[in-house]
Amino acid sequence: MASARLTPNGVGAALAGDTNLRPIVQVVNLRCVNVDGKGTPRSDRWRGLVSDGAETCPAMFAGQLSDLARSGLIRRGSVVQLDEYVINMVGGRRVIVVLNLTVLLAECDIIGNPVITPESESSNQNNPRVEQFNGTRQYGLAAGNPSPTRPNGNVPVFQPSVSGSSLNTPTRLSDKSPVFQPTAQPSYRPAPSYKNQGAIAKNEAPARIIPISSLNPYQGRWAIKGRVTAKGDIRRYHNAKGEGKVFNFDLLDSDGGEIRVACFNTQLDRFYEVVEVGKVYVVSRGNLKPVQRNYNHLNSEWEITLERDSSVDLCPDENSSIPSQQFNFRPISEIEDTPTGTILDIIGVAISVSPSTTVQKKNGTETLKRMIGLKDMSGRSVDLTMWGDFCNREGSQLQEMVERGVFPVLGVKTGRVNDFNGKCVGTISSSQLLIDPDLSEAHTLRQWFDGGGRDASTQSISRDHTPSASRNEVRMTVAKIKDDGLGMGDKPDWVTVKASIIFFKSDNFCYTACPTKEGDRQCNKKVTKGTSGLWVCDKCDKEFPECDYRYLLQLQIQDHSGTTWVTAFQETAQELLGCSALELVTYKENGDPRFAETMLSCLFKDYLLRLKVKEETYSDERRVKNTLVKVERFDPAAESRYLLDLLSRLVASY
């Protein structure tokens, strides 16, 4: 049977805190644990004992190592090198949590005569454990014995010391007894305001502050210290368990580790007013869950959900050792090939700002929307979609600056990529917008823009893509939409046309809609007036004295190649006409000249119109329907740059 040389005193040094040792040890016992302490089934976990030939200690193996144990590559007798591990207290014992390892020998005889170290025992001194290895019974000592020795007396004595000691230079009490003095991390005691809320039990040792990057689900009690870099709004949700509310905040520590913390319901009530962006807190206890990458781009594999015994305590005297924010800016050109839903940071010069509009979300509620055009040195520009309060805060400030001819640098922390209009970036609840930030990237952009970048040709990745792009993203004429048979496939086609509006159907530009809300969603079904004079909704089976009015606008557009009919619904029609459907109905019913003025003001003007083209069935007849999804005022300067850029690409292709 093969043999190997184990790291002398590897177990003792590891338990003493030397996580850089990478000791070679032997697995002397291994078993699978499929249930937690409450008997609840879960994915298999493996635990056992590891030995350096003299001492042993309990070990827990991370989930990513389960396949090695399940396949038998790690088993009793295997010799492994511990590449990455942490030391945790589990059930009163010190345990090595193995995060990564290298298998040196899959099978080997038990090496030496390993005994149980005090660190691997329970803290109950009256219950020394007995372990059985290879038919030989070895007795371990209780954890209370400060000087454990083997029968030959030639064993290292471990004496933990206070912070500042070193493991690199062990001292010796004699020629045969080296004493390791591990570094002890500082302890954290929660503020008195939380001591009655279960954060720390009476007479329990204080939680140890650890780096965010060291968090893992095998730890019992822990504490992390970080600066709040982002705080989300309160969001309400509804699921099978009922309704609830939640908010998130992000923490950054001095080592660059980041993690997101979620507070639901009761914990939201406790901590929402406590947490402030920019301040440093110690967070203790919480449930670690795997990160959901669709919504979280932070560099941690875990997210924290605070619970009843969690605590969040302010560190008012914290110095500048923890940075206020860190960014990972991506060039706009890279966004073009970035998958939809990716969370990222971008920075660019704001070259255009659209007015704020009101749109209706899928759940029936309304929110604000504003578009910002950003460009950078990569030769690309992108649309940033602002949602909600961002439109009134940073959006209003940006609009005022651009209208004055000042084009500020805008940094976007935590934006989400989408492909609704080509490739765009949208804000989410945890996004941060920084106007002219004091960052090296911002200074470089400013110098480039002021030094000639303002007039540099730029291609938008949000609209008017190159001719080689998919037909869903290119500029088309009205005739080409028909000639290419767009909209006949399983999915709709999305195109942009430069055209004028030449006619409105003014007799039925809107419909009467049900104002009833089902949860957060408004019904919006068409209603009719009954004999009682009340409006009746057949879907809701309700009557009400007032109805809502929603646009259903039929308009005809024309370019140099032909004409076609287009339908504009609520949000797009309101953006085009500049007033609500109720206002326009009121103008018409009162004979107000503003009705005709509003309609005529949009005719025979050039627009860039974003269309959704899809075949639909009406009364057993199939026909292609064009839906207007975005209206952009025609900008001659931008159009000239687009045409020049198009010509340069065509010339380069020959």
Side-chain angles (χ1 to χ4, degrees):
M1 188 72 69
S3 183
R5 179 177 176 81
L6 306 181
T7 301
N9 192 39
V11 168
L15 290 176
D18 188 356
T19 56
N20 297 318
L21 180 61
R22 300 183 66 191
I24 297 175
V25 297
Q26 185 176 34
V27 179
V28 296
N29 191 16
L30 186 66
R31 63 189 179 92
C32 177
V33 180
N34 288 302
V35 297
D36 60 18
K38 299 180 181 179
T40 303
R42 65 182 182 191
S43 58
D44 59 335
R45 300 291 185 189
W46 295 79
R47 62 179 62 180
L49 295 170
V50 295
S51 162
D52 60 12
E55 278 81 25
T56 65
C57 75
M60 299 178 66
F61 297 88
Q64 61 265 28
L65 304 177
S66 296
D67 288 341
L68 297 177
R70 196 182 303 111
S71 64
L73 190 58
I74 302 176
R75 56 184 182 271
R76 186 176 186 273
S78 297
V79 176
V80 300
Q81 178 172 290
L82 306 184
D83 297 323
E84 187 179 0
Y85 58 92
V86 294
I87 308 299
N88 287 332
M89 292 294 295
V90 178
R93 296 179 295 170
R94 304 191 73 188
V95 175
I96 296 179
V97 179
V98 183
L99 305 177
N100 197 9
L101 59 78
T102 301
V103 179
L104 303 180
L105 287 175
E107 187 174 1
C108 182
D109 291 332
I110 299 300
I111 301 172
N113 295 305
V115 298
I116 307 300
T117 61
E119 287 83 358
S120 68
E121 291 293 345
S122 171
S123 60
N124 186 351
Q125 301 185 25
N126 297 322
N127 187 24
R129 297 184 59 188
V130 179
E131 295 288 345
Q132 185 80 21
F133 293 112
N134 204 19
T136 303
R137 185 163 63 179
Q138 305 287 349
Y139 291 89
L141 300 176
N145 191 335
S147 303
T149 60
R150 292 194 298 271
N152 61 11
N154 187 16
V155 174
V157 178
F158 301 100
Q159 297 180 339
S161 67
V162 295
S163 178
S165 59
S166 174
L167 282 172
N168 297 327
T169 309
T171 59
R172 293 179 177 270
L173 298 178
S174 66
D175 292 338
K176 297 183 179 181
S177 299
V179 179
F180 289 86
Q181 296 182 330
T183 300
Q185 295 195 24
S187 296
Y188 160 70
R189 294 185 181 276
S193 59
Y194 290 106
K195 68 179 182 178
N196 294 326
Q197 301 186 29
I200 300 295
K202 185 177 181 180
N203 297 327
E204 188 175 1
R208 191 172 55 128
I209 295 178
I210 62 174
I212 290 176
S213 59
S214 297
L215 284 173
N216 65 80
Y218 305 102
Q219 292 165 316
R221 294 179 55 254
W222 47 261
I224 56 174
K225 181 166 69 172
R227 191 182 304 277
V228 176
T229 58
K231 177 183 177 181
D233 297 328
I234 296 177
R235 294 181 290 109
R236 300 189 179 275
Y237 61 89
H238 180 81
N239 55 29
K241 297 181 180 180
E243 296 184 352
K245 54 186 178 180
V246 61
F247 91 100
N248 302 321
F249 62 92
D250 298 342
L251 287 175
L252 170 67
D253 69 7
S254 58
D255 295 327
E258 294 179 288
I259 197 165
R260 180 155 296 169
V261 184
C263 301
F264 290 85
N265 301 321
T266 304
Q267 309 319 318
L268 181 150
D269 296 334
R270 288 178 59 195
F271 299 124
Y272 185 77
E273 299 298 334
V274 173
V275 173
E276 297 183 29
V277 174
K279 294 187 177 180
V280 176
Y281 298 84
V282 170
V283 177
S284 179
R285 295 182 180 266
N287 184 21
L288 286 177
K289 298 181 179 179
V291 68
Q292 299 184 39
R293 287 298 175 201
N294 290 340
Y295 307 98
N296 187 342
H297 77 300
L298 302 182
N299 60 16
S300 175
E301 297 181 5
W302 312 102
E303 296 176 336
I304 299 173
T305 299
L306 296 188
E307 299 176 327
R308 185 184 62 176
D309 58 352
S310 301
S311 64
V312 177
D313 299 289
L314 178 66
C315 300
D317 300 327
E318 178 59 39
N319 55 29
S320 58
S321 62
I322 302 178
S324 59
Q325 187 59 273
Q326 65 180 7
F327 300 91
N328 183 22
F329 291 124
R330 302 270 294 275
I332 294 176
S333 59
E334 290 186 6
I335 302 175
E336 194 167 8
D337 299 321
T338 301
T340 299
T342 301
I343 304 295
L344 46 69
D345 304 337
I346 63 169
I347 190 169
V349 180
I351 56 175
S352 64
V353 182
S354 73
S356 179
T357 60
T358 301
V359 298
Q360 186 172 35
K361 298 191 293 185
K362 292 181 179 180
N363 62 5
T365 61
E366 292 186 340
T367 187
L368 295 175
K369 175 183 176 182
R370 188 191 289 268
M371 305 297 294
I372 311 293
L374 298 178
K375 68 183 295 186
D376 68 3
M377 294 182 290
S378 68
R380 297 289 188 270
S381 62
V382 68
D383 283 348
L384 170 70
T385 307
M386 288 183 173
W387 297 99
D389 291 339
F390 289 112
C391 298
N392 289 333
R393 297 197 308 259
E394 294 85 350
S396 297
Q397 182 179 352
L398 288 169
Q399 183 177 12
E400 188 270 335
M401 296 176 73
V402 170
E403 288 176 350
R404 289 191 291 109
V406 178
F407 300 95
V409 174
L410 179 65
V412 181
K413 175 71 174 176
T414 314
R416 177 185 292 157
V417 177
N418 65 72
D419 58 1
F420 175 73
N421 187 33
K423 280 295 178 65
C424 302
V425 177
T427 62
I428 57 179
S429 61
S430 57
S431 297
Q432 295 182 65
L433 304 181
L434 297 87
I435 300 175
D436 286 330
D438 186 14
L439 301 171
S440 59
E441 296 90 343
H443 300 322
T444 301
L445 265 177
R446 171 54 58 199
Q447 293 176 359
W448 165 78
F449 188 80
D450 293 342
R454 177 196 302 261
D455 301 319
S457 176
T458 303
Q459 178 186 345
S460 173
I461 68 172
S462 299
R463 56 184 182 272
D464 305 337
H465 278 219
T466 62
S468 60
S470 71
R471 66 182 184 177
N472 288 349
E473 300 174 341
V474 299
R475 179 87 69 89
M476 280 194 176
T477 64
V478 169
K480 191 170 178 60
I481 294 174
K482 299 176 182 178
D483 294 342
D484 287 4
L486 298 191
M488 306 295 287
D490 294 333
K491 295 183 178 180
D493 290 304
W494 303 82
V495 298
T496 299
V497 297
K498 173 182 169 290
S500 300
I501 300 172
I502 61 173
F503 181 73
F504 284 106
K505 286 188 177 180
S506 59
D507 53 344
N508 54 354
F509 59 88
C510 67
Y511 72 96
T512 52
C514 175
T516 304
K517 285 193 174 183
E518 302 172 351
D520 291 332
R521 183 187 295 273
Q522 187 168 324
C523 174
N524 288 332
K525 295 295 182 181
K526 186 174 181 179
V527 296
T528 57
K529 183 170 288 189
T531 56
S532 63
L534 298 177
W535 294 97
V536 180
C537 177
D538 294 334
K539 179 178 181 295
C540 298
D541 193 22
K542 293 181 180 179
E543 295 182 342
F544 28 85
E546 299 292 339
C547 68
D548 197 3
Y549 290 89
R550 296 185 63 81
Y551 277 116
L552 184 59
L553 189 61
Q554 303 293 326
L555 52 96
Q556 193 174 35
I557 64 173
Q558 180 183 48
D559 67 0
H560 65 280
S561 67
T563 63
T564 189
W565 284 95
V566 173
T567 302
F569 290 98
Q570 176 73 1
E571 291 81 13
T572 312
Q574 183 169 314
E575 181 178 358
L576 176 66
L577 297 175
C579 64
S580 68
L582 176 60
E583 290 177 292
L584 204 57
V585 167
T586 304
Y587 295 159
K588 184 178 181 180
E589 291 178 347
N590 296 335
D592 194 317
R594 283 180 291 181
F595 174 76
E597 292 172 1
T598 301
M599 290 292 195
L600 292 174
S601 65
C602 300
L603 295 181
F604 308 110
K605 293 182 179 179
D606 288 335
Y607 296 92
L608 289 180
L609 306 174
R610 182 71 168 171
L611 302 180
K612 172 187 173 184
V613 185
K614 184 69 176 73
E615 186 182 48
E616 297 182 359
T617 302
Y618 298 89
S619 302
D620 297 328
E621 179 185 355
R622 298 183 64 82
R623 58 181 178 179
V624 174
K625 179 179 179 180
N626 302 315
T627 303
L628 182 61
V629 296
K630 181 180 179 182
V631 178
E632 185 175 346
R633 307 285 177 179
F634 180 73
D635 182 357
E639 182 70 7
S640 298
R641 288 193 294 269
Y642 163 74
L643 293 175
L644 290 172
D645 189 55
L646 180 61
L647 286 173
S648 65
R649 292 197 302 270
L650 291 174
V651 171
S653 64
Y654 288 99

